[in-house]
Amino acid sequence: DTGVSQDPRHKITKRGQNVTFRCDPISEHNRLYWYRQTLGQGPEFLTYFQNEAQLEKSRLLSDRFSAERPKGSFSTLEIQRTEQGDSAMYLCASSRTADYEQYFGPGTRLTVT
Amino acid sequence: SQKIEQNSEALNIQEGKTATLTCNYTNYSPAYLQWYRQDPGRGPVFLLLIRENEKEKRKERLKVTFDTTLKQSLFHITASQPADSATYLCALMKTSYDKVIFGPGTSLSVIP
């Protein structure tokens, strides 16, 4: 399977714990995006990378959220001190530079209890 | 602030009919507008892109229009089938280097 993969697919954590998600994009894609989606809503932009450079981060994203893409390959999204409001589906997508079509992974569903 | 609206209610149509979904936006001037399909529990899948200088785009049973004066896009599925049942998302980009902003989606059910 050469699509976008995400790990884990599901994560249940207790409030206050830290969690980290991983995304492996399609190998030749320079761009990588992170989104958050709650029930009945469209994906909400969090951040995106061009190779290893983080080009933009949503103003809605608190300092508890951080993302990295070392060496321009896979990416990690970390949420520190999780809150119940962080419960959502976290989606990763990748694309070629200046190629508009984004390829999405299956998502990581986070439940904070 | 930027706002994207799609059909507020779920759309139920009879198999074989044409489904028409609406995307309206305010406080935004996108150069590109995309439509994605999303099935429950899965990531969105790209369907079509239309540029601001294009009025209409077709792909098989799909047709998209883009009216930058009305700030609206219409998405049509002709000869709809139960397999077309899904949520359809409208997404906007200012430039090819910009982030993508998604609308809330419209749930479509095609009834046999």
Side-chain angles (χ1 to χ4, degrees), chain A residues 96-111:
Chain A
R96 283 185 282 258
T97 304
D99 192 1
Y100 318 107
E101 178 177 351
Q102 293 192 15
Y103 293 80
F104 280 82
T108 294
R109 181 165 295 284
L110 173 66
T111 303

Side-chain angles (χ1 to χ4, degrees), chain B:
Chain B
S1 62
Q2 302 157 358
K3 191 172 182 181
I4 304 173
E5 293 179 326
Q6 297 188 240
N7 303 58
S8 56
E9 301 289 329
L11 194 59
N12 299 317
I13 64 165
Q14 208 69 36
E15 182 176 5
K17 300 290 187 184
T18 296
T20 298
L21 284 64
T22 305
C23 173
N24 294 295
Y25 58 91
T26 55
N27 299 324
Y28 205 70
S29 298
Y32 308 94
L33 190 147
Q34 303 178 40
W35 284 89
Y36 286 77
R37 169 186 172 139
Q38 188 173 26
D39 292 287
R42 306 186 71 133
V45 174
F46 173 82
L47 295 175
L48 277 171
L49 174 141
I50 187 166
R51 293 172 170 78
E52 61 178 339
N53 61 351
E54 297 176 318
K55 295 289 187 188
E56 182 179 297
K57 200 82 167 279
R58 291 175 186 260
K59 179 182 176 183
E60 298 172 353
R61 296 185 294 112
L62 309 180
K63 184 178 89 170
V64 173
T65 62
F66 191 10
D67 188 325
T68 55
T69 302
L70 291 178
K71 295 185 180 293
Q72 181 182 77
S73 174
L74 298 179
F75 177 79
H76 306 273
I77 305 175
T78 58
S80 59
Q81 304 166 0
D84 295 327
S85 298
T87 294
Y88 291 85
L89 299 159
C90 165
L92 309 180
M93 295 172 73
K94 277 187 190 174
T95 70
S96 61
Y97 290 91
D98 196 21
K99 64 179 182 287
V100 178
I101 299 177
F102 283 86
T106 297
S107 175
L108 172 68
S109 293
V110 181
I111 304 161

